[in-house]
């Protein structure tokens, strides 16, 4: 391992992308993720890559579509309102089966909302914010070190399956500084992209990148192929961290920065003799259903804590499948639950 | 003290965020677990800034502080806002040249240093934050003076390295100040 550095989450995303071989960045500034663009603007020129501050988010995502079509490792980043603008492009990229990495450092909505941390884009990310039956791999890091590792992995996953990988964080993760230790050499998977539009040199048939299939029989086949791919990804790429679940009185589920707060709550609860477990989905899609099945009979109840009005809790309920009650506690608008609030909710559920 | 949860708060431009960053960096050099979280929300638009710094022997859970072991305040509104969340037995360090009132709390140690006035007299008003950090590291022993100096070298751009000896003098002033 290399030198330990104290870096901002947003800067680590950009550095990780460069280490993963990304040489093309297209974006449009928006708080709280603009440091990603700053970092790329500074470094991309030295590395001989492309940095474009596009005229809009719509333009940026279509530039991503273009670079990905040519087989390049490409990144765009934004925050909630900007990600909404990119949805049409994401659907096209999914339809055309192109690899790309998209970062959403979520802020609170709806509309322009505010700039403080939120997880209110969970549905948009995992259920498909754009039109059509498609999925993105959605990765939810909870530390700066994990931002680094998952950003590199996001590029590998995107290339491996020809899919969009989304890194979903919030302003706490993007703005905070934490120690990061970069590897001397990254694990960059080399995937042959014989589908890319790189010029035929008159030596092969030309490749076509498209998402239009007018014939229903062909379009259905295309959709079936996509669904088979999503099923394969669900089998191979689900990631989750479980903590103290084996004999838990209650299992809390939370992702990203909220999971860090819950880890503190677990310690507080221990002092009062309450056993709290944590299931932290690292991939929000594919959702770690099997992990919930594994522990569904253990606790008296589940509690999903989120920075929204109750989104992931729906997937938790589907995964727990009625075996135990599933409760919800959320804050909105950029408000962050305190450890005490969460512990009080746990006590209320357990009647303690 | 093994663990410190520190809030540094004041006006934008007083070096609030950079003070926290140097502290966190020094903590890292001392092989501790650290986090630094700046305010980036609407309060920034009102001209105030604060940061939450955790330096701990254990892994850092939430980087958001609901309570603090130490508070450094460089303006009055910061004392009003954060006085209540300092743990009993904790520390409040105030820049007494800018914060007029004394904390109401009787269960915390309070240190007042006229840091901005002293920094002006030293010829560089931007040292006020360093003077206050001096008192913090003297009282808490959370990091060593040597780690602080090393952190300055790592976090300041090379063109500002000539200032480090004076910054260390400012740190020492804060460490040894008594009212």
């Amino acid at each position: 391992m290399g030198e330990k550095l104290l870096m901002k989450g947003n800067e680590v995303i950009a550095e990780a992308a460069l280490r993963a071989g990304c040489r093309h960045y297209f974006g449009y500034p928006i708080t709280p993720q603009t440091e990603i663009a700053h970092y790329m603007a500074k470094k991309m020129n030295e590395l001989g890559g492309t940095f474009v501050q596009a005229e809009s988010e719509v333009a940026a995502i279509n530039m991503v579509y273009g670079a990905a079509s040519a087989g390049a490792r490409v990144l765009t980043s934004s925050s909630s309102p900007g990600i909404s603008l990119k949805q049409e492009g994401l659907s096209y990229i999914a339809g055309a089966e192109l690899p790309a990495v998209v970062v959403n450092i979520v802020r609170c909505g709806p509309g322009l909302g505010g700039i403080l941390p939120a997880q209110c884009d969970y549905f948009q990310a995992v259920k498909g914010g754009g039109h059509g039956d498609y999925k993105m791999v959605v990765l939810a890091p909870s530390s700066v070190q994990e931002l680094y590792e998952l950003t590199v992995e996001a590029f590998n996953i995107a290339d491996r399956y020809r899919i969009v990988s989304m890194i979903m964080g919030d302003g706490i993760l993007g703005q905070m500084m934490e120690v990061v230790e970069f590897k001397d050499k990254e694990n960059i998977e080399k995937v042959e992209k014989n589908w890319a539009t790189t010029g035929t040199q008159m030596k092969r048939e030309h490749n076509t990148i498209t998402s239009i299939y007018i014939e229903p029989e062909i379009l259905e086949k295309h959709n079936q192929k996509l669904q088979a791919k999503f099923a394969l990804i669900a089998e191979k790429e689900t990631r989750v961290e479980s903590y103290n679940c084996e004999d838990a009185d209650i299992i809390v589920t939370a992702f990203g920065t909220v999971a860090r707060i819950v880890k503190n709550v677990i310690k507080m609860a221990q002092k009062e003799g309450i056993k709290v477990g944590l299931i932290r989905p690292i991939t929000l899609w594919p959702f770690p259903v099997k992990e919930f099945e594994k522990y569904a009979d253990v606790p008296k109840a589940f509690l999903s804590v989120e920075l929204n009005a109750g989104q992931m809790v729906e997937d938790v309920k589907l995964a727990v499948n009625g075996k135990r009650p599933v409760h919800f506690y959320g804050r909105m608008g950029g408000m962050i639950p305190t450890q005490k609030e969460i512990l009080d909710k746990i006590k209320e559920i357990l009647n303690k | 003290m093994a663990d410190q949860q520190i809030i540094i708060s004041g006006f934008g431009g007083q070096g609030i965020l950079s003070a926290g960053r140097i502290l966190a960096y020094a903590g890292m050099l001392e092989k501790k677990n650290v986090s630094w979280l700046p305010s980036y929300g609407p309060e920034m638009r009102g001209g105030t800034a604060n940061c939450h710094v955790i330096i701990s022997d254990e892994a850092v859970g939430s980087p958001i502080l609901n309570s603090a072991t130490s508070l450094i305040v460089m303006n009055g509104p910061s004392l009003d806002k954060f006085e209540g969340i300092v743990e009993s037995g904790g520390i409040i360090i105030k820049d007494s040249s800018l914060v007029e009132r004394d904390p109401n709390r009787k269960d915390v140690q309070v240190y007042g240093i006229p840091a901005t006035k002293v920094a002006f007299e030293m010829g560089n008003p931007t040292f006020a934050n360093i003077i206050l950090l001096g008192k913090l590291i003297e009282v808490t022993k959370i990091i060593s003076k040597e780690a602080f100096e090393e952190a300055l070298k790592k976090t300041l751009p090379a063109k500002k390295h000539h200032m480090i000896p004076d910054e260390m003098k400012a740190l020492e002033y804060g460490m040894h100040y008594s009212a």
Side-chain angles (χ1 to χ4, degrees):
Chain A
M1 298 291 266
E3 196 189 356
K4 285 187 174 180
L5 297 167
L6 187 68
M7 282 179 77
K8 255 194 176 194
N10 283 332
E11 292 178 345
V12 165
I13 294 172
E15 176 62 27
L18 295 173
R19 284 169 178 265
C22 169
R23 290 295 177 272
H24 306 277
Y25 174 90
F26 309 101
Y28 188 84
I30 180 170
T31 305
Q33 62 77 52
T34 302
E35 291 88 353
I36 301 174
H38 283 170
Y39 199 91
M40 286 299 194
K42 205 159 52 185
K43 298 271 173 152
M44 208 52 112
N45 212 20
E46 294 165 19
L47 294 167
T50 316
F51 168 88
V52 178
Q53 180 173 320
E55 68 270 35
S56 72
E57 287 87 348
V58 176
I61 194 67
N62 283 291
M63 290 173 191
V64 169
Y65 191 176
S69 299
R73 284 197 156 185
V74 55
L75 178 75
T76 188
S77 63
S78 191
S79 179
S80 307
I83 295 291
S84 289
L85 287 166
K86 291 184 205 276
Q87 292 304 324
E88 182 199 49
L90 289 173
S91 173
Y92 277 62
I93 292 168
E97 291 192 88
L98 295 172
V101 177
V102 177
V103 176
N104 184 4
I105 301 299
V106 178
R107 49 189 265 178
C108 34
L112 267 180
I115 59 176
L116 288 172
Q119 298 180 326
C120 49
D121 298 354
Y122 177 92
F123 281 152
Q124 185 193 54
V126 307
K127 309 292 178 189
H131 56 281
D133 277 316
Y134 76 94
K135 292 286 182 194
M136 299 184 294
V137 174
V138 183
L139 300 154
S142 79
S143 69
V144 171
Q145 181 70 27
E146 206 176 39
L147 265 183
Y148 154 53
E149 288 164 8
L150 290 181
T151 301
V152 173
E153 198 48 26
F155 281 96
N156 287 335
I157 292 170
D159 274 358
R160 203 181 301 151
Y161 299 100
R162 296 178 60 180
I163 194 167
V164 175
S165 302
M166 174 177 275
I167 304 283
M168 198 156 97
D170 62 38
I172 294 172
L173 204 55
Q175 294 295 323
M176 77 185 286
M177 280 191 179
E178 217 170 18
V179 177
V180 59
E181 193 170 359
F182 292 111
K183 291 175 191 148
D184 294 330
K185 195 175 183 308
E186 300 304 332
N187 167 36
I188 299 175
E189 285 180 24
K190 285 277 170 241
V191 178
E192 206 197 328
K193 296 180 176 175
N194 54 14
W195 46 264
T197 51
T198 51
T200 65
Q201 317 292 327
M202 307 301 275
K203 285 175 188 160
R204 59 164 170 82
E205 285 296 301
H206 71 270
N207 287 334
T208 306
I209 303 288
T210 184
S211 67
I212 187 168
Y213 299 93
I214 291 294
E215 298 294 334
E217 295 82 1
I218 295 173
L219 183 52
E220 187 178 50
K221 278 213 173 69
H222 175 60
N223 267 286
Q224 284 164 345
K225 182 179 152 215
L226 291 179
Q227 292 304 319
K229 175 165 85 177
F230 299 147
L232 180 67
I233 294 171
E235 189 192 317
K236 302 261 189 198
E237 302 297 343
T238 306
R239 285 150 205 252
V240 62
E241 180 196 6
S242 300
Y243 187 73
N244 278 7
C245 286
E246 285 72 17
D247 59 347
D249 300 323
I250 184 167
I251 293 180
V252 178
T253 172
F255 69 92
T257 45
V258 181
R260 299 175 67 120
I261 303 173
V262 172
K263 283 189 181 171
N264 287 13
V265 173
I266 291 173
K267 279 189 210 160
M268 282 172 76
Q270 258 164 3
K271 287 179 193 156
E272 301 191 27
I274 307 169
K275 286 182 243 166
V276 179
L278 169 68
I279 296 180
R280 176 174 75 92
I282 298 171
T283 49
L284 303 181
W285 192 88
F287 194 70
V289 176
K290 286 191 180 132
E291 199 71 2
F292 284 91
E293 288 171 351
K294 184 172 154 192
Y295 293 113
D297 296 322
V298 174
K300 295 187 181 76
F302 286 82
L303 168 65
S304 190
V305 184
E306 305 170 42
L307 302 181
N308 58 43
Q311 299 193 14
M312 183 172 76
V313 65
E314 293 191 3
D315 286 330
V316 176
K317 282 181 179 170
L318 285 171
V320 172
N321 201 15
K323 287 189 176 167
R324 289 291 184 274
V326 177
H327 300 265
F328 173 73
Y329 186 75
R331 295 296 301 264
M332 292 173 283
M335 298 299 291
I336 311 290
T338 63
Q339 294 152 34
K340 184 176 177 303
E341 271 172 61
I342 298 171
L343 185 58
D344 286 349
K345 180 73 187 176
I346 288 169
K347 287 182 191 167
E348 180 195 314
I349 293 165
L350 295 174
N351 278 322
K352 289 205 175 177
Chain B
M1 280 181 225
D3 285 13
Q4 277 287 317
Q5 290 109 42
I6 303 150
I7 293 178
I8 307 174
S9 185
F11 292 119
Q14 283 179 311
I16 299 294
L17 300 186
S18 57
R21 196 161 73 98
I22 298 164
L23 206 55
Y25 210 104
M28 178 183 78
L29 295 174
E30 300 254 29
K31 309 226 179 311
K32 306 229 184 201
N33 297 296
V34 300
S35 69
W36 172 93
L37 180 70
S39 55
Y40 71 93
E43 69 269 28
M44 278 176 73
R45 273 66 178 173
T48 67
N50 69 72
C51 63
H52 297 193
V53 176
I54 300 175
I55 303 177
S56 174
D57 289 331
E58 289 180 48
V60 174
S62 171
I64 311 154
L65 294 177
N66 303 130
S67 67
T69 53
S70 299
L71 170 67
I72 297 178
V73 287
M74 294 186 73
N75 66 12
S78 295
L79 181 61
D80 298 343
K81 183 171 180 185
F82 292 115
E83 177 175 5
I85 74 165
V86 179
E87 286 174 12
S88 188
I91 295 157
I92 298 177
I93 300 168
K94 67 163 199 169
D95 184 340
S96 56
S97 39
L98 299 171
V99 184
E100 284 180 16
R101 77 167 175 91
D102 283 324
N104 300 318
R105 297 277 299 273
K106 299 294 173 224
D107 59 339
V108 299
Q109 290 171 268
V110 177
Y111 303 88
I113 308 177
T116 296
K117 183 167 164 280
V118 172
F120 263 106
E121 286 162 10
M122 285 180 167
N124 193 333
T126 66
F127 289 170
N129 57 355
I130 305 289
I131 293 171
L132 297 167
L133 286 179
K135 183 51 72 184
L136 178 81
I137 72 170
E138 171 67 15
V139 177
T140 65
K141 313 280 188 234
I142 189 66
I143 53 158
S144 67
K145 201 172 76 177
E146 291 70 28
F148 190 88
E149 186 164 5
E150 192 59 27
L152 281 177
K153 284 182 196 157
K154 297 273 189 184
T155 53
L156 286 176
K159 64 179 180 190
K160 288 192 176 172
H161 278 199
H162 67 277
M163 292 165 67
I164 290 175
D166 284 344
E167 299 213 31
M168 291 308 291
K169 276 185 206 155
L171 189 81
E172 302 240 4
Y173 183 93
M175 289 172 80
H176 302 125
Y177 179 87
S178 59

XYZ file of all heavy atoms in Angstrom, chain A residues 165-211:
372
model
N -22.467 2.167 -13.933
C -22.290 2.064 -12.481
C -22.491 3.441 -11.897
O -21.894 4.407 -12.387
C -20.883 1.604 -12.115
O -20.582 0.365 -12.684
N -23.312 3.515 -10.876
C -23.492 4.801 -10.198
C -22.895 4.735 -8.793
O -23.136 3.789 -8.053
C -24.967 5.176 -10.095
C -25.197 6.450 -9.269
S -26.919 6.982 -9.203
C -27.006 7.939 -10.710
N -22.104 5.757 -8.457
C -21.644 5.930 -7.078
C -22.614 6.905 -6.432
O -22.780 8.024 -6.918
C -20.228 6.559 -7.025
C -19.214 5.738 -7.819
C -19.788 6.788 -5.581
C -18.737 4.509 -7.140
N -23.279 6.467 -5.357
C -24.216 7.364 -4.694
C -23.726 7.694 -3.294
O -23.541 6.805 -2.463
C -25.611 6.740 -4.648
C -26.663 7.777 -4.385
S -28.282 7.284 -4.992
C -28.973 6.663 -3.512
N -23.478 8.966 -3.067
C -23.047 9.426 -1.748
C -23.895 10.616 -1.337
O -24.950 10.865 -1.902
N -23.420 11.352 -0.344
C -24.099 12.590 0.022
C -23.046 13.620 0.379
O -21.846 13.338 0.318
C -25.093 12.367 1.166
C -24.417 11.878 2.434
O -23.297 12.344 2.731
O -24.987 11.030 3.121
N -23.514 14.808 0.734
C -22.586 15.906 0.983
C -21.610 15.654 2.116
O -20.497 16.178 2.106
N -22.002 14.850 3.094
C -21.067 14.555 4.185
C -19.873 13.793 3.614
O -18.726 14.159 3.813
C -21.742 13.719 5.293
C -22.825 14.536 5.974
C -20.705 13.238 6.319
C -23.676 13.742 6.946
N -20.172 12.757 2.858
C -19.122 11.919 2.298
C -18.272 12.701 1.286
O -17.056 12.539 1.227
C -19.783 10.714 1.612
C -18.956 9.468 1.441
C -18.403 8.986 2.762
C -19.802 8.385 0.797
N -18.926 13.539 0.497
C -18.204 14.314 -0.513
C -17.329 15.391 0.093
O -16.236 15.676 -0.394
N -17.812 16.007 1.170
C -17.117 17.167 1.740
C -16.121 16.798 2.836
O -15.216 17.567 3.126
C -18.141 18.146 2.331
C -19.050 18.794 1.300
C -18.304 19.682 0.339
O -17.357 20.378 0.709
N -18.702 19.655 -0.917
N -16.311 15.633 3.468
C -15.453 15.329 4.613
C -14.053 14.901 4.165
O -13.869 14.415 3.054
C -16.066 14.231 5.496
C -15.929 12.837 4.934
S -16.782 11.586 5.937
C -15.685 11.475 7.346
N -13.100 15.106 5.060
C -11.754 14.577 4.834
C -11.544 13.400 5.767
O -11.928 13.442 6.935
C -10.693 15.621 5.158
C -10.477 16.619 4.072
S -9.001 17.558 4.468
C -8.945 18.623 3.062
N -10.922 12.375 5.210
C -10.606 11.193 5.975
C -9.320 10.623 5.385
O -8.937 10.975 4.275
C -11.753 10.183 5.846
C -12.036 9.420 7.100
C -13.321 8.608 7.008
O -13.826 8.345 5.907
O -13.812 8.221 8.062
N -8.721 9.709 6.098
C -7.472 9.133 5.608
C -7.777 8.136 4.489
O -8.678 7.312 4.599
C -6.704 8.439 6.739
C -5.438 7.763 6.208
C -6.350 9.442 7.830
N -7.034 8.259 3.410
C -7.164 7.302 2.309
C -5.779 6.756 1.995
O -4.783 7.477 2.056
C -7.834 7.943 1.072
C -7.052 9.144 0.572
C -8.034 6.935 -0.048
N -5.751 5.466 1.729
C -4.482 4.828 1.396
C -4.624 4.236 -0.004
O -5.365 3.270 -0.197
C -4.187 3.750 2.440
C -2.782 3.244 2.388
C -2.436 2.367 3.587
O -3.292 2.171 4.473
O -1.304 1.862 3.617
N -3.943 4.830 -0.955
C -4.017 4.343 -2.325
C -3.075 3.168 -2.530
O -1.999 3.121 -1.943
C -3.649 5.467 -3.309
C -4.647 6.585 -3.357
C -4.327 7.845 -2.861
C -5.914 6.389 -3.889
C -5.243 8.883 -2.895
C -6.841 7.421 -3.929
C -6.502 8.665 -3.435
N -3.501 2.237 -3.377
C -2.626 1.111 -3.718
C -1.548 1.591 -4.693
O -1.746 2.561 -5.419
C -3.441 0.012 -4.403
C -4.403 -0.680 -3.466
C -5.269 -1.673 -4.220
C -6.396 -2.162 -3.336
N -7.617 -2.467 -4.055
N -0.439 0.866 -4.707
C 0.620 1.217 -5.662
C 0.148 0.966 -7.090
O 0.501 1.667 -8.016
C 1.891 0.419 -5.368
C 2.479 0.823 -4.015
O 2.296 2.000 -3.636
O 3.077 -0.031 -3.351
N -0.639 -0.083 -7.243
C -1.123 -0.421 -8.589
C -2.594 -0.814 -8.495
O -2.973 -1.582 -7.610
C -0.298 -1.604 -9.124
C -0.449 -1.816 -10.613
C 0.498 -2.917 -11.097
C 0.437 -3.126 -12.594
N -0.873 -3.328 -13.149
N -3.398 -0.275 -9.375
C -4.826 -0.584 -9.342
C -5.119 -1.884 -10.085
O -4.420 -2.232 -11.039
C -5.634 0.548 -9.998
C -5.483 1.894 -9.336
C -5.839 1.875 -7.860
O -6.660 1.038 -7.446
O -5.261 2.692 -7.115
N -6.173 -2.546 -9.642
C -6.662 -3.706 -10.372
C -7.596 -3.217 -11.484
O -8.775 -2.990 -11.267
C -7.407 -4.637 -9.401
C -8.197 -5.694 -10.143
O -7.765 -6.184 -11.183
N -9.379 -6.030 -9.631
N -7.029 -3.016 -12.653
C -7.831 -2.553 -13.793
C -8.083 -3.735 -14.711
O -7.150 -4.280 -15.313
C -7.114 -1.421 -14.563
C -6.890 -0.227 -13.630
C -7.922 -1.009 -15.793
C -6.098 0.896 -14.250
N -9.329 -4.154 -14.802
C -9.669 -5.277 -15.667
C -9.611 -4.837 -17.120
O -10.187 -3.823 -17.492
C -11.084 -5.769 -15.360
C -11.159 -6.564 -14.083
C -12.568 -7.053 -13.800
O -13.373 -7.179 -14.739
O -12.840 -7.281 -12.618
N -8.920 -5.631 -17.901
C -8.860 -5.315 -19.336
C -9.953 -6.119 -20.034
O -9.913 -7.346 -20.055
C -7.482 -5.693 -19.901
C -6.400 -4.722 -19.502
C -6.374 -3.487 -20.428
C -5.455 -2.396 -19.886
N -6.143 -1.129 -19.592
N -10.926 -5.431 -20.554
C -12.028 -6.080 -21.245
C -11.936 -5.696 -22.724
O -11.789 -4.512 -23.043
C -13.389 -5.609 -20.668
C -14.544 -6.241 -21.424
C -13.473 -5.936 -19.184
N -11.981 -6.695 -23.562
C -11.912 -6.362 -24.987
C -13.229 -5.752 -25.453
O -14.296 -6.321 -25.234
C -11.603 -7.605 -25.827
C -10.928 -7.151 -27.112
C -10.921 -8.179 -28.210
O -10.867 -9.377 -27.881
O -10.954 -7.764 -29.378
N -13.143 -4.578 -26.056
C -14.364 -3.883 -26.472
C -14.488 -3.943 -27.994
O -14.321 -2.917 -28.683
C -14.322 -2.443 -25.956
C -14.321 -2.374 -24.418
C -14.268 -0.957 -23.898
C -14.373 -0.922 -22.387
N -14.217 0.414 -21.803
N -14.748 -5.147 -28.486
C -14.815 -5.294 -29.942
C -16.101 -4.716 -30.533
O -16.289 -4.704 -31.731
C -14.637 -6.770 -30.347
C -15.627 -7.667 -29.639
O -16.606 -7.188 -29.056
N -15.389 -8.975 -29.686
N -16.965 -4.222 -29.649
C -18.206 -3.581 -30.087
C -18.056 -2.082 -30.306
O -18.935 -1.417 -30.834
C -19.314 -3.818 -29.044
C -18.828 -3.573 -27.632
C -18.378 -4.503 -26.745
C -18.676 -2.302 -26.974
N -17.975 -3.897 -25.567
C -18.152 -2.553 -25.683
C -18.945 -0.981 -27.352
C -17.876 -1.528 -24.775
C -18.666 0.035 -26.444
C -18.136 -0.244 -25.169
N -16.906 -1.523 -29.859
C -16.762 -0.056 -29.826
C -16.601 0.535 -31.231
O -16.058 -0.103 -32.136
C -15.564 0.322 -28.957
N -17.087 1.746 -31.380
C -16.981 2.440 -32.667
C -15.664 3.201 -32.715
O -15.607 4.405 -32.454
C -18.164 3.402 -32.846
O -18.262 4.212 -31.670
C -19.461 2.663 -33.036
N -14.613 2.451 -33.057
C -13.269 3.035 -33.040
C -12.697 3.245 -34.447
O -11.525 3.561 -34.598
C -12.314 2.103 -32.264
O -12.464 0.779 -32.802
C -12.657 2.078 -30.792
N -13.519 3.047 -35.465
C -13.020 3.143 -36.846
C -12.655 1.760 -37.355
O -12.007 0.981 -36.646
N -13.090 1.432 -38.544
C -12.877 0.064 -39.056
C -11.526 -0.098 -39.732
O -11.074 -1.225 -39.951
C -13.957 -0.299 -40.095
O -13.799 0.566 -41.228
C -15.362 -0.158 -39.514
N -10.859 1.005 -40.052
C -9.636 0.945 -40.889
C -9.903 0.126 -42.154
O -8.960 -0.433 -42.738
C -8.452 0.306 -40.140
C -8.262 0.737 -38.705
C -7.826 2.183 -38.585
O -7.106 2.691 -39.439
N -8.290 2.866 -37.559
N -11.155 0.009 -42.563
C -11.585 -0.795 -43.724
C -11.212 -2.273 -43.568
O -11.042 -2.998 -44.521
C -10.961 -0.250 -45.040
C -11.187 1.231 -45.271
S -12.931 1.672 -45.340
C -13.253 1.312 -47.059
N -11.041 -2.718 -42.302
C -10.605 -4.095 -42.076
C -11.697 -4.959 -41.463
O -11.512 -6.155 -41.273
C -9.369 -4.121 -41.167
C -8.104 -3.689 -41.889
C -6.937 -3.606 -40.923
C -5.741 -2.982 -41.612
N -4.770 -2.460 -40.667
N -12.790 -4.350 -41.036
C -13.868 -5.136 -40.435
C -15.192 -4.463 -40.761
O -15.224 -3.321 -41.233
C -13.685 -5.270 -38.926
C -13.652 -3.945 -38.172
C -13.864 -4.134 -36.679
N -13.604 -2.930 -35.896
C -14.456 -1.926 -35.726
N -15.639 -1.926 -36.329
N -14.124 -0.888 -34.981
N -16.280 -5.201 -40.471
C -17.608 -4.610 -40.581
C -17.728 -3.477 -39.556
O -17.117 -3.544 -38.489
C -18.674 -5.674 -40.275
C -18.893 -6.683 -41.395
C -19.439 -6.025 -42.660
O -20.529 -5.419 -42.576
O -18.760 -6.108 -43.704
N -18.510 -2.465 -39.869
C -18.634 -1.373 -38.908
C -19.527 -1.776 -37.733
O -20.434 -2.594 -37.876
C -19.127 -0.096 -39.572
C -20.560 -0.129 -39.997
N -20.945 -0.557 -41.248
C -21.695 0.198 -39.341
C -22.262 -0.485 -41.328
N -22.744 -0.039 -40.197
N -19.205 -1.223 -36.571
C -20.013 -1.447 -35.369
C -21.104 -0.390 -35.282
O -20.901 0.750 -35.710
C -19.142 -1.353 -34.116
C -18.234 -2.560 -33.963
O -18.545 -3.636 -34.465
N -17.113 -2.372 -33.287
N -22.238 -0.775 -34.721
C -23.333 0.175 -34.549
C -23.693 0.262 -33.066
O -23.884 -0.762 -32.419
C -24.579 -0.282 -35.331
O -24.192 -0.496 -36.691
C -25.680 0.777 -35.270
N -23.754 1.485 -32.551
C -24.243 1.702 -31.180
C -25.622 2.332 -31.302
O -25.764 3.400 -31.901
C -23.322 2.671 -30.405
C -21.881 2.169 -30.367
C -23.879 2.943 -29.003
C -21.624 0.985 -29.497
N -26.614 1.674 -30.775
C -27.971 2.223 -30.879
C -28.838 1.694 -29.757
O -28.522 0.678 -29.131
C -28.609 1.850 -32.238
O -29.896 2.483 -32.329
C -28.794 0.342 -32.387
N -29.937 2.406 -29.497
C -30.939 1.862 -28.579
C -32.291 1.758 -29.283
O -33.300 1.527 -28.635
C -31.046 2.720 -27.313
O -31.580 3.990 -27.637
